[in-house]
Amino acid sequence: MDDSTAGRRDTAGANEKTLRTITTVVAAVFLLVGVLGFIPGITTNYDTMTFAGHESDAKLLGIFEVSILHNIVHLLFGVVGLWAARAARTAVAYLVAGGLIYLVIWVYGLVVDHEDPANFIPVNDADNWLHLVLGLGMVLLGLVGARMIAPRRTDTTGRRAGPR
């Protein structure tokens, strides 16, 4: 094995590790948010929390509307993210698919009136902005991660010719 091949393997391994670490951090944040949503004081109006629906007036950090279902979804996103972080390819899939899901939830929050019974998640304006940022951020991280772990072609001189 020549030095350039070993160097590419070292870089690929470091890139995969970085991507897996980023995914672990994203997943840990979802877990933390899910747990915090069940803690009175950190979640204001805790006694008004419902399983689902817009009737819940509980707000994480006094800003983001939450319900039991909402908190469970955050916990599930965290658990799935920790599982996905075990391998670079699944980390990319988690980030991109999770980001797309959050973008769908953002659109949902824009089209559903906050007081409508269809607002079962529940969401408010602060949630909508957060879902947009989360969605874009996760998709971007996933796409950058995919490029980081993409195999590189080399030309006949051993120089990189770009991704396959």
Side-chain angles (χ1 to χ4, degrees):
M1 172 178 11
D2 65 10
D3 289 340
S4 65
T5 303
R8 282 193 301 273
R9 280 198 187 129
D10 290 344
T11 300
N15 286 347
E16 287 186 14
K17 184 176 181 181
T18 299
L19 176 60
R20 291 174 53 227
T21 300
I22 289 167
T23 304
T24 300
V25 169
V26 170
V29 169
F30 277 116
L31 285 172
L32 179 64
V33 167
V35 169
L36 292 176
F38 287 115
I39 299 176
I42 295 175
T43 298
T44 59
N45 301 320
Y46 186 83
D47 57 330
T48 68
M49 186 181 302
T50 60
F51 180 77
H54 69 281
E55 298 88 11
S56 181
D57 195 34
K59 290 185 174 64
L60 180 63
L61 305 174
I63 301 169
F64 305 103
E65 284 192 15
V66 292
S67 65
I68 294 169
L69 178 62
H70 206 149
N71 292 333
I72 290 171
V73 168
H74 289 139
L75 292 170
L76 290 174
F77 254 86
V79 169
V80 170
L82 290 179
W83 173 84
R86 299 179 330 159
R89 298 254 179 243
T90 53
V92 166
Y94 167 78
L95 291 169
V96 172
L100 292 174
I101 289 168
Y102 269 93
L103 290 174
V104 168
I105 294 170
W106 169 66
V107 170
Y108 168 84
L110 294 177
V111 298
V112 173
D113 184 78
H114 296 176
E115 299 304 317
D116 192 300
N119 185 10
F120 69 95
I121 296 180
V123 292
N124 62 13
D125 288 336
D127 289 305
N128 288 341
W129 283 105
L130 181 61
H131 293 151
L132 174 62
V133 171
L134 274 173
L136 293 175
M138 288 177 73
V139 168
L140 181 63
L141 284 171
L143 294 177
V144 168
R147 283 199 51 92
M148 287 171 52
I149 64 169
R152 303 276 182 190
R153 293 183 295 153
T154 55
D155 64 16
T156 56
T157 64
R159 293 182 298 202
R160 277 194 204 167
R164 289 185 183 179

